[in-house]
Amino acid sequence: MKFISPKIDYAFKRIFGSNQSQQILISFLNAIIYDGENIIKSLTINNPYNPSQIESLKDSYLDIQATLSDDSIVIIEMQVSKMQAFDRRVAYNLCKTYANQLEKGELYFLLNPVIAVTITDFNMFDETKDPLNKFVFKEETKDFVYKNGELKLIFLELPKFQKKLDELETLSDKWIYFLKETARLDIVPKPLGEVPEIESALYIANRANFSPEELEEFDRRGMMLQDERGKINYAREEGRQEGRQEGRQEGKLLTVPMLLELGLTIEEIAQRLDLTVEQVQQTAENNG
């Protein structure tokens, strides 16, 4: 068997956001939000995956939005590549979802809590090695939670999860392993198959269950995400090289005053240090 990677946002939407995925999503959210406790009993997927709309998905966000039985709203997003101001975008989406519950003139008591679950294939928080981190409004010095816990941010950083298959213990362990390693599997391993909802998710992720059109689009999307990562890595390396180059340049300029004191002319210094005459002249003037 070969499986589609759940990290590809189209595949993630298909696995967790289809009409038949309610039990899968309930199990996943109980694992990530409630540490495996069976708190969520039912939910409604507000924007289910529709294979007939796969072309239109190209220009839309592929997050999943669900309403729980207590009317809380959960928005779930998979993000593979780093992007500028991503942390602000997550906070914006959380607040926008909260505010959009009301029409103009409606009363505030109609608002329901919103939870944003964000899964990243990159690290966001250097302050901790834990892959799963949860944020709520708290009093800054006395550490008590703001009334009602209306807004919550949950981040799952996949690179920080290092457990092997035989080390999986909790429901959250197994779901995180599923997200991170499914594309490398060729069978349904026993620790994952023991959870019916994960077994169902693996059935959906089996490439044999996708239409040719879906497979083509998923593969295209996967290559596009790899290209995005490649561009980011290239830009980062270019930045490092530029920084090293700037460092060497700075070192050369620092030697200019000493060479002037030794009696070298500006032209001689420029030639010796591989600088322009203008750079040497400016440095000389700055050092009076």
Side-chain angles (χ1 to χ4, degrees), residues 2 11 14 25 58 70 73 105 120 139 210 214 237:
K2 292 185 178 180
R14 167 73 182 270
L25 189 57
K58 293 179 182 179
D70 65 355
I73 299 171
T120 65
E139 203 284 328
F210 289 93
E214 286 177 310
E237 182 59 30

Side-chain angles (χ1 to χ4, degrees), residues 239-255 275:
R240 280 197 288 263
Q241 290 184 10
E242 187 175 314
R244 287 194 289 268
Q245 181 64 32
E246 288 177 356
R248 288 193 292 268
Q249 189 90 334
E250 184 70 21
K252 291 178 181 179
L253 294 174
L254 288 173
T255 66
L275 297 170

Side-chain angles (χ1 to χ4, degrees), residues 56-246:
S56 66
L57 289 177
K58 293 179 182 179
D59 298 315
S60 64
Y61 285 118
L62 288 154
D63 61 355
I64 299 166
Q65 186 178 115
T67 301
L68 308 184
S69 55
D70 65 355
D71 292 326
S72 296
I73 299 171
V74 182
I75 47 178
I76 310 109
E77 178 183 6
M78 168 67 75
Q79 181 70 24
V80 172
S81 300
K82 285 186 176 181
M83 62 181 294
Q84 189 175 23
F86 178 68
D87 54 340
R88 295 183 182 183
R89 197 190 90 180
V90 173
Y92 172 79
N93 285 339
L94 176 74
C95 296
K96 182 179 71 172
T97 302
Y98 187 68
N100 283 350
Q101 295 179 72
L102 295 184
E103 298 292 338
K104 186 175 180 179
E106 289 188 318
L107 300 176
Y108 296 126
F109 71 81
L110 296 173
L111 289 167
N112 294 302
V114 178
I115 305 169
V117 177
T118 303
I119 305 151
T120 65
D121 201 26
F122 53 88
N123 292 338
M124 287 191 64
F125 305 107
D126 296 332
E127 297 85 350
T128 177
K129 295 181 179 179
D130 294 334
L132 187 59
N133 295 286
K134 305 174 183 180
F135 299 86
V136 295
F137 285 114
K138 283 190 174 183
E139 203 284 328
E140 189 169 1
T141 59
K142 303 177 184 65
D143 197 37
F144 63 86
V145 179
Y146 186 73
K147 291 181 179 295
N148 300 322
E150 290 290 296
L151 299 173
K152 181 179 289 188
L153 289 164
I154 298 177
F155 292 90
L156 172 56
E157 301 163 271
L158 295 179
K160 292 181 178 179
F161 186 80
Q162 299 296 323
K163 289 188 177 181
K164 304 273 193 290
L165 190 61
D166 59 0
E167 298 174 325
L168 305 181
E169 297 176 353
T170 65
L171 183 62
S172 59
D173 283 348
K174 294 175 182 181
W175 271 118
I176 299 170
Y177 188 91
F178 167 83
L179 291 172
K180 188 175 181 181
E181 304 294 345
T182 286
R184 302 182 186 184
L185 301 176
D186 52 18
I187 61 168
V188 177
K190 184 179 178 181
L192 300 189
E194 292 172 346
V195 181
E197 293 82 5
I198 296 181
E199 187 175 31
S200 297
L202 285 166
Y203 176 81
I204 296 175
N206 190 335
R207 290 182 69 93
N209 295 319
F210 289 93
S211 70
E213 294 77 16
E214 286 177 310
L215 286 174
E216 181 179 353
E217 190 58 39
F218 293 162
D219 290 341
R220 185 199 68 81
R221 181 65 175 172
M223 286 188 290
M224 189 182 80
L225 293 171
Q226 287 183 10
D227 288 345
E228 286 180 6
R229 277 190 159 180
K231 290 176 184 176
I232 291 170
N233 290 336
Y234 175 76
R236 187 180 294 122
E237 182 59 30
E238 284 288 294
R240 280 197 288 263
Q241 290 184 10
E242 187 175 314
R244 287 194 289 268
Q245 181 64 32
E246 288 177 356

